[in-house]
Amino acid sequence: LYGLLLTAVFLFLAANLLLAEPKQDLPADSVQQKILADSAQSYTYTGLDYYDAGNFDMAEKYLNKSLDIYESIYEKGHRKIGITYINLGAVFLRHWRYGEAMHFFDKAEEHLRLNPEKYARELGGTLVNKGIVYSSLGDYTRAKMTEEMALKIMLGFDDSETRKRTINLYNSLANVNKDLKEYRKGIEQFMKAEKLALEYNPDFLHLIYGNLGNIYLHTGNFQK
């Protein structure tokens, strides 16, 4: 989402893009709609709890319940529908069921592109996950193209939460460049990931340094 370290990076990235969100934007024109929206949000939280516990079948079940409700009360292109597609895609990604994961990420992108400026962060996260699927399937050229699109979106924000996610994105993109044997670019991107991690989230440093060691190994720089 490569060696053991690199697989861990992918799975962490997918998990990091699961978006449990606070209640907001609930429709005011119908008490029934509000009740249904609250119920859908509850299913989302339950699904994410199962995801965190590693019970992906139950996570899929509850996220699908949430999706069914959201699609019944919101118009196409609503953020909550797009996010639920992202979450379902991440569940299948953890199952290594790449075709189904890509199906949901494609659906998420389709919805979020209806409001690309309003939902730019979510769209960027969707593209990151699509890049992870392409990379997992060995299509590194498409993975690079997709993740570069995601990076362009993410760099348009300067809040700390987006910067934390950009650490993962640089790390993933660097690994893609390593697989394309573009080692210099990969090292540059790992360095950018390191700089952000030092400022925003040092917990990522061990992954970044492990991956840097891996790419230096490929360049023959054994001392590094």
Side-chain angles (χ1 to χ4, degrees), residues 183-200:
Y183 299 126
R184 182 183 59 79
K185 289 183 180 178
I187 291 170
E188 289 176 357
Q189 286 156 346
F190 279 134
M191 293 299 187
K192 290 178 179 179
E194 178 194 22
K195 182 178 178 181
L196 286 174
L198 286 168
E199 183 174 357
Y200 293 101

Side-chain angles (χ1 to χ4, degrees), residues 11-26:
L11 296 180
F12 186 89
L13 180 58
N16 203 40
L17 286 169
L18 289 169
L19 300 175
E21 55 181 334
K23 297 174 185 177
Q24 59 185 14
D25 298 332
L26 295 176

